[in-house]
Amino acid sequence: MQTQTEAAAAVQTAAQQHHEPTWLINKRLTALDQMADLPMPLVQRFKYRDWELMPGELQWKASQSDLTDVATSSVQIVQIGQTTVRVNLPEELQQQGVVLTDFFTAVKDYPDLVQAAFMTKAMQANENRLASYHTAYLNAGVFLYVPNNVVISEPIDIQLIQDNTLDQALNSHVLIVAGRNAEVAVSERLTTVGDNANLANCLMEVVAGENSHVTIATLDELGPKTMAYVERRAFAEDNATVNWAVGFMNEGDTIGNFDTELNGVGSRADAKVIAITDHDQRMGVNTKITNRGKHTNGNILQRGVILEDSELVYNGIGDIIHGASGSESEQENRLLMMSSNAHGNANPILLINENDVMAGHAASVGQVDEQQLYYLMSRGLRREAAERLVIRGFLGAVLSAIPAKAVRSQLIDVIERKLENGR
């Protein structure tokens, strides 16, 4: 095992070989130095401390561009491992100052934009041990910048493919900066190619400027030999809106950690999350909205389906900070258990430190309604078909919130496949 001094020397050497600027190398080294003293992320009622989540090596390995076939869209970036294989950005958007590129190209070509937003607003590298690990061993990522007053009508497609043909952890960072009055919708998809066992530590930061509108739809479909830590964070300034629609369809053990900081007056966030677990998979998810500014509004809707011997824990966290008067925080967390061997928890957590607010929550864990099944089966459907219809209806509130039809269609296909495999 490396000493702290040896680990720092190895990270510094790898970063210098990668021709990284001094500020980024220093950020890596600071994160590495503080990592051991930081706590692991808290996921209530979910035990994961025995998971191997921090393999310590920074390497640069190219992936083969023909490992996967991804459909082309007009505004798109595709990465396989550390290798960017496609960037499509129309000339019209380039003329308006929109930037869509891989993270390390952005560090060199747009250093001021990246340095101002990377691990400074939406989150800090010293918030928890896995965030500091991510910063120290970052090896892939995407940067999207939408300038002030620019409205992008078509969703931007980000495809991140973990290369499990190699023995290498994926530490990918997606940084999205939307300027004042900007509007953008982003579709992100995480997938895996190859059969090696690896870690994926994937983090997204969204910085939403004053009066901007940012919509993020994600489909996570990492493979069965991938242990995943996925963190998505947003920072919303005055009157900004950030909407999330997250589909957790990973096949391996997973931790999800989401937080939207409503920092500005009148900012808003809506977070919709669905997940399906199967086999002996374990998944724990925190979805949090923090109301810091006055008259902010946060809503959380989480729904999950638990198959076979798997475990799914949802923590919905509404946090209203002292001084956030006139704010609202609502949440709903519901789980549907399809097996007597399944284990689930739906935990609503309200942290209220202000009087002049409105807050509420709902939570449930249960099985398929037998009356609904009876009604459908009495119309000629077999039990499995009837259960699928009930599940589709149960998840419908989140599916309908996904703005991109292609992503919505992909998610429905994944749901159908997981339900079929989980029988």
Side-chain angles (χ1 to χ4, degrees), residues 127-413:
E127 286 192 23
N128 62 64
R129 192 178 302 174
L130 295 182
S132 65
Y133 164 80
H134 173 92
T135 306
Y137 292 97
L138 175 66
N139 61 16
V142 170
F143 178 65
L144 169 64
Y145 173 67
V146 184
N148 296 341
N149 305 308
V150 172
V151 176
I152 302 178
S153 57
E154 184 174 354
I156 294 176
D157 181 29
I158 298 176
Q159 302 264 354
L160 304 179
I161 303 158
Q162 182 189 30
D163 185 358
N164 277 0
T165 67
L166 303 173
D167 290 318
Q168 167 122 345
L170 176 66
N171 294 306
S172 175
H173 195 99
V174 176
L175 177 59
I176 299 171
V177 179
R180 186 175 60 254
N181 302 313
E183 294 186 21
V184 62
V186 175
S187 299
E188 180 194 54
R189 189 173 187 187
L190 301 178
T191 56
T192 299
V193 61
D195 297 320
N196 291 346
N198 280 311
L199 168 75
N201 183 312
C202 299
L203 196 153
M204 174 186 283
E205 287 185 283
V206 178
V207 179
E210 180 182 350
N211 202 41
S212 63
H213 196 291
V214 181
T215 299
I216 309 290
T218 70
L219 173 54
D220 298 351
E221 197 183 355
L222 296 168
K225 292 187 178 180
T226 294
M227 183 174 291
Y229 177 76
V230 181
E231 183 141 15
R232 294 187 171 103
R233 306 290 288 269
F235 180 91
E237 299 180 0
D238 289 351
N239 297 306
T241 298
V242 180
N243 291 327
W244 299 93
V246 177
F248 255 135
M249 301 291 141
N250 296 332
E251 296 182 65
D253 293 340
T254 300
I255 301 168
N257 205 13
F258 310 139
D259 188 358
T260 302
E261 295 272 337
L262 300 178
N263 201 66
V265 175
S267 53
R268 305 173 60 88
D270 190 284
K272 293 183 170 67
V273 180
I274 62 174
I276 298 179
T277 58
D278 56 11
H279 305 304
D280 58 354
Q281 181 184 12
R282 299 181 61 214
M283 183 181 295
V285 178
N286 288 340
T287 301
K288 181 180 182 181
I289 296 179
T290 304
N291 301 69
R292 294 190 182 275
K294 297 179 184 295
H295 305 289
T296 52
N297 187 297
N299 292 286
I300 296 171
L301 173 61
Q302 299 191 106
R303 296 199 173 180
V305 178
I306 314 173
L307 305 171
E308 299 178 290
D309 300 324
S310 61
E311 176 186 12
L312 175 58
V313 175
Y314 269 156
N315 295 311
I317 307 166
D319 189 1
I320 301 181
I321 303 300
H322 180 67
S325 58
S327 295
E328 297 183 25
S329 176
E330 298 287 341
Q331 62 172 282
E332 180 181 318
N333 311 279
R334 301 196 185 279
L335 294 175
L336 196 59
M337 301 177 68
M338 303 300 295
S339 165
S340 59
N341 296 322
H343 178 69
N345 267 302
N347 307 311
I349 302 169
L350 290 177
L351 308 172
I352 312 298
N353 289 301
E354 180 60 53
N355 293 322
D356 181 23
V357 299
M358 294 180 62
H361 64 79
S364 67
V365 178
Q367 297 182 334
V368 173
D369 190 317
E370 289 295 330
Q371 289 186 342
Q372 291 179 335
L373 288 180
Y374 176 79
Y375 175 83
L376 293 171
M377 292 169 66
S378 70
R379 267 57 183 175
L381 293 177
R382 294 185 177 181
R383 184 179 181 90
E384 289 186 4
E387 285 182 348
R388 287 194 185 186
L389 282 178
V390 172
I391 292 170
R392 284 280 296 274
F394 176 73
L395 300 176
V398 177
L399 291 172
S400 62
I402 297 175
K405 291 182 180 180
V407 176
R408 189 162 59 243
S409 177
Q410 289 171 346
L411 182 52
I412 290 172
D413 290 344

Side-chain angles (χ1 to χ4, degrees), residues 6-197:
E6 291 171 337
V11 166
Q12 184 170 3
T13 298
Q16 289 173 339
Q17 291 173 346
H18 202 225
H19 306 293
E20 294 178 4
T22 300
W23 71 264
L24 181 55
I25 295 174
N26 289 339
K27 204 172 187 78
R28 288 184 183 275
L29 296 176
T30 299
L32 183 65
D33 182 62
Q34 66 196 6
M35 189 165 64
D37 297 325
L38 293 172
M40 295 292 281
L42 175 63
V43 184
Q44 298 277 8
R45 301 187 184 182
F46 188 75
K47 297 180 180 180
Y48 70 93
R49 300 304 173 89
D50 58 336
W51 295 12
E52 295 292 335
L53 291 168
M54 293 179 291
E57 190 170 9
L58 180 61
Q59 304 177 58
W60 307 108
K61 295 182 179 180
S63 296
Q64 300 177 32
S65 60
D66 60 352
L67 285 174
T68 188
D69 183 19
V70 175
T72 302
S73 60
S74 60
V75 190
Q76 181 186 53
I77 185 167
V78 180
Q79 287 185 344
I80 302 178
Q82 301 171 5
T83 303
T84 301
V85 297
R86 184 184 305 150
V87 180
N88 292 334
L89 183 63
E91 181 67 25
E92 177 187 355
L93 294 181
Q94 295 181 44
Q95 292 297 325
Q96 295 180 73
V98 176
V99 176
L100 178 64
T101 186
D102 75 272
F103 183 85
F104 294 106
T105 295
V107 165
K108 297 171 185 176
D109 294 348
Y110 309 95
D112 293 342
L113 291 176
V114 177
Q115 189 173 1
F118 174 57
M119 304 295 273
T120 61
K121 292 185 176 181
M123 75 174 302
Q124 306 285 331
N126 63 357
E127 286 192 23
N128 62 64
R129 192 178 302 174
L130 295 182
S132 65
Y133 164 80
H134 173 92
T135 306
Y137 292 97
L138 175 66
N139 61 16
V142 170
F143 178 65
L144 169 64
Y145 173 67
V146 184
N148 296 341
N149 305 308
V150 172
V151 176
I152 302 178
S153 57
E154 184 174 354
I156 294 176
D157 181 29
I158 298 176
Q159 302 264 354
L160 304 179
I161 303 158
Q162 182 189 30
D163 185 358
N164 277 0
T165 67
L166 303 173
D167 290 318
Q168 167 122 345
L170 176 66
N171 294 306
S172 175
H173 195 99
V174 176
L175 177 59
I176 299 171
V177 179
R180 186 175 60 254
N181 302 313
E183 294 186 21
V184 62
V186 175
S187 299
E188 180 194 54
R189 189 173 187 187
L190 301 178
T191 56
T192 299
V193 61
D195 297 320
N196 291 346

